[in-house]
């Protein structure tokens, strides 16, 4: 096993780091405070290839592996967690249309998505269907050459500012086999948006509810066949869990870097804080947990890239571990700053606020434990997880 990044991965990492330091980090606090969705910078990231990292090259994407993409997202998140997290969602939407849509549908949307001309939102969660996504009630009734879509979604990132939606809706009976996936233009007649939610963090991207009132969608806008939508959603979430985990790791790295600098500069009792053994021990634990989280995420990404039978369990383990540890690292960094860490003049309180939601979205960490626990208890599962 070789844990060193190869030449291409190092180049991708440096390119993302430079972009984050130049375009994201200097503005992250303002975007957070003013709830600004930085569309100009997001579209600029398309020039770097960051809007189509694992989208196929046939449609203008870079066609990178999930491992390579995770390395890029980690660096972007160190600049602005919230904006980088939206970029991961957009990448997932672009990849789903390219992977499961018809050639005509993919050609209509994906090239515009990788340049940033069209931005995407992913619509799965409903008021009564959060962790239990298979119970969603939004319905698509087939009437001739169109589906008529009715229902509502909530907690949708980018909603109201994006141009294309991937929507999961029920076309059949109850349960996961009755769910299909559709590409819906965001400005289609009958699509309406709720108020921009006021959130604890992730303030550089808008979050709104979406209502579908007799929205007519051409049959050609369905992804795959009827009943395949839930399977597509789960495939998307495997990658989404890696994405959200690696964004957490990038933010934790930024928090650790800030704490490292601070304790070397801050004087207490006539000495730098860094000379205190308790501070050194805390930093050591933070670094150890950061490395463990990063390697778990990259292992899960490798599993997904290689279509391993246990990839879903590894993605769940990585998401749970990385988001829990990263939140703890940022919280400990804030503690090292003392009262200053609680001020908006420093980035630590923003890191803590932004990271908290990572333990909830793309499946709560309780759901991640359910996935792993069930896999472990299946016949033969223990052997595959060694």
């Amino acid at each position: 096993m070789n844990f060193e990044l190869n030449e291409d991965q190092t180049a991708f990492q440096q390119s993302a780091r430079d972009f984050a330091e130049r375009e994201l980090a200097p503005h992250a606090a303002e975007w957070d405070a003013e709830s600004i969705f930085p569309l100009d910078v997001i579209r600029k990231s398309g020039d770097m290839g960051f809007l189509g990292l694992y989208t196929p090259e046939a449609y203008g994407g870079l066609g990178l592996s999930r491992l390579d993409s995770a390395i890029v997202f980690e660096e972007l998140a160190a600049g602005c967690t919230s904006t980088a997290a939206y970029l991961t969602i957009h990448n997932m939407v672009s990849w789903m249309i390219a992977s499961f849509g018809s050639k005509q549908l993919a050609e209509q949307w994906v090239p515009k998505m990788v340049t940033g001309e069209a931005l995407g939102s992913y619509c799965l969660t409903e008021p009564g269907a959060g962790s239990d996504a298979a119970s969603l009630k939004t319905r698509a009734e087939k009437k001739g050459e169109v589906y008529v879509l009715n229902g509502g979604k909530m907690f949708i990132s980018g909603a109201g500012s994006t141009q294309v939606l991937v929507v999961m809706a029920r076309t059949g009976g109850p349960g996961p086999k009755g769910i299909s996936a559709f590409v819906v233009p965001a400005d289609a007649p009958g699509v309406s948006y709720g108020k921009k939610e006021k959130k604890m963090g992730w303030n550089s991207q808008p979050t709104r509810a979406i209502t579908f009132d007799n929205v007519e969608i051409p049959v050609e806008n369905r992804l795959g066949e009827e009943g395949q939508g839930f399977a597509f959603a789960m495939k998307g979430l495997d990658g989404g869990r890696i994405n959200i985990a690696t964004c957490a790791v990038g933010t934790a790295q930024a928090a650790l870097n800030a704490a490292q600098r601070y304790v070397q500069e801050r004087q207490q009792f006539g000495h730098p804080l860094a000379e205190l053994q308790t501070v050194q021990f805390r930093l050591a634990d933070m670094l150890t947990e950061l490395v463990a989280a990063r390697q778990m995420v990259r292992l899960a990404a490798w599993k997904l890239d290689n279509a391993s039978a246990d990839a879903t369990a590894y993605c769940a383990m990585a998401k749970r571990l990385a988001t829990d540890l990263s939140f703890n690292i940022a919280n400990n960094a804030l503690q090292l700053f003392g009262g200053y860490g609680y001020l908006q003049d420093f980035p630590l309180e923003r890191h803590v606020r932004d990271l908290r939601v990572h333990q909830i979205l793309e499946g709560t960490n309780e759901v991640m434990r359910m996935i792993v626990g069930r896999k472990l208890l299946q016949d033969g599962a223990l052997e595959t997880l060694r």
Side-chain angles (χ1 to χ4, degrees), residues 282-348:
R282 181 168 294 203
L283 289 171
D285 287 345
M286 292 162 66
L287 178 58
T288 302
E289 291 172 355
L290 178 63
V291 172
R294 175 180 292 122
Q295 296 307 324
M296 186 73 218
V297 171
R298 292 182 181 179
L299 171 60
W302 182 89
K303 288 276 188 178
L304 194 59
D305 285 331
N306 287 276
S308 299
D310 49 14
T312 293
Y314 273 90
C315 291
M317 286 191 287
K319 192 268 182 181
R320 201 288 300 167
L321 184 74
T323 58
D324 281 350
L325 291 182
S326 295
F327 179 80
N328 290 340
I329 290 165
N331 197 37
N332 277 316
L334 189 153
Q335 188 72 18
L336 287 171
F337 269 69
Y340 291 108
Y342 206 65
L343 301 181
Q344 292 183 355
D345 297 315
F346 297 87
L348 277 304

Side-chain angles (χ1 to χ4, degrees), residues 331-372:
N331 197 37
N332 277 316
L334 189 153
Q335 188 72 18
L336 287 171
F337 269 69
Y340 291 108
Y342 206 65
L343 301 181
Q344 292 183 355
D345 297 315
F346 297 87
L348 277 304
E349 59 86 29
R350 172 166 45 87
H351 293 331
V352 171
R353 287 188 290 105
D354 282 343
L355 279 173
R356 184 60 184 87
V357 76
H358 290 231
Q359 296 167 295
I360 298 172
L361 48 78
E362 305 290 18
T364 66
N365 283 3
E366 288 76 17
V367 170
M368 298 304 99
R369 291 178 173 91
M370 287 169 51
I371 293 170
V372 175

Side-chain angles (χ1 to χ4, degrees), residues 207-269:
T207 301
R208 291 184 173 90
I210 304 180
T211 301
F212 303 99
D213 182 11
N214 290 321
V215 180
E216 294 190 357
I217 304 300
V219 171
E220 294 78 15
N221 280 35
R222 188 186 64 221
L223 299 179
E225 302 299 325
E226 277 198 7
Q228 290 186 309
F230 191 77
F232 295 160
M234 294 304 102
K235 289 180 180 179
L237 285 177
D238 279 345
R241 286 163 185 161
I242 291 171
N243 291 345
I244 216 64
T246 201
C247 283
V249 171
T251 306
Q253 181 71 70
L256 178 58
N257 291 348
Q260 178 189 4
R261 292 191 297 267
Y262 182 77
V263 299
Q264 290 175 312
E265 298 169 357
R266 175 70 167 166
Q267 296 274 335
Q268 288 288 274
F269 307 108

Side-chain angles (χ1 to χ4, degrees), residues 8-282:
D8 286 342
Q9 290 168 334
T10 301
F12 292 139
Q13 182 185 56
Q14 189 60 53
S15 176
R17 184 175 299 170
D18 290 343
F19 185 86
E21 291 176 351
R22 182 177 68 252
E23 302 290 348
L24 301 180
H27 311 291
E30 177 189 2
W31 296 340
D32 173 70
E34 303 295 330
S35 295
I36 294 170
F37 192 34
L39 291 171
D40 54 339
V41 175
I42 289 171
R43 294 193 171 104
K44 190 179 295 186
S45 76
D47 297 336
M48 305 291 294
F50 300 153
L51 294 180
L53 287 173
Y54 50 90
T55 299
E57 293 179 275
Y59 300 112
L62 295 183
L64 298 184
S65 68
R66 295 307 178 97
L67 175 56
D68 293 347
S69 301
I71 293 166
V72 171
F73 287 138
E74 179 183 331
E75 294 298 330
L76 295 177
C80 179
T81 314
S82 175
T83 304
Y86 172 73
L87 295 180
T88 73
I89 295 165
H90 174 88
N91 270 265
M92 180 170 66
V93 173
S94 174
W95 170 79
M96 291 184 77
I97 298 174
S99 299
F100 307 125
S102 66
K103 187 172 187 292
Q104 179 181 357
L105 188 64
E107 288 177 343
Q108 177 185 353
W109 285 107
V110 179
K112 292 188 291 187
M113 296 184 74
V114 299
T115 63
E117 180 183 348
L119 299 178
S121 292
Y122 179 66
C123 305
L124 175 63
T125 301
E126 298 183 1
S131 295
D132 183 15
S135 68
L136 64 83
K137 290 181 170 55
T138 295
R139 190 154 196 95
E141 297 282 354
K142 189 175 182 183
K143 296 184 178 181
E145 295 302 310
V146 301
Y147 284 90
V148 179
L149 186 64
N150 283 283
K153 301 291 182 178
M154 67 182 304
F155 299 141
I156 306 304
S157 292
S161 299
T162 55
Q163 288 71 47
V164 60
L165 316 172
V166 167
V167 181
M168 301 297 158
R170 191 164 301 284
T171 53
K177 293 183 179 179
I179 297 172
S180 301
F182 299 90
V183 173
V184 180
D187 60 353
V191 178
S192 60
Y193 300 91
K195 64 179 176 62
K196 186 163 72 170
E197 302 289 358
K198 295 179 180 179
K199 308 189 296 289
M200 176 179 176
W202 269 32
N203 290 320
S204 77
Q205 53 169 291
T207 301
R208 291 184 173 90
I210 304 180
T211 301
F212 303 99
D213 182 11
N214 290 321
V215 180
E216 294 190 357
I217 304 300
V219 171
E220 294 78 15
N221 280 35
R222 188 186 64 221
L223 299 179
E225 302 299 325
E226 277 198 7
Q228 290 186 309
F230 191 77
F232 295 160
M234 294 304 102
K235 289 180 180 179
L237 285 177
D238 279 345
R241 286 163 185 161
I242 291 171
N243 291 345
I244 216 64
T246 201
C247 283
V249 171
T251 306
Q253 181 71 70
L256 178 58
N257 291 348
Q260 178 189 4
R261 292 191 297 267
Y262 182 77
V263 299
Q264 290 175 312
E265 298 169 357
R266 175 70 167 166
Q267 296 274 335
Q268 288 288 274
F269 307 108
H271 299 280
L273 285 176
E275 292 184 6
L276 296 175
Q277 190 178 66
T278 55
V279 171
Q280 294 172 10
F281 282 5
R282 181 168 294 203

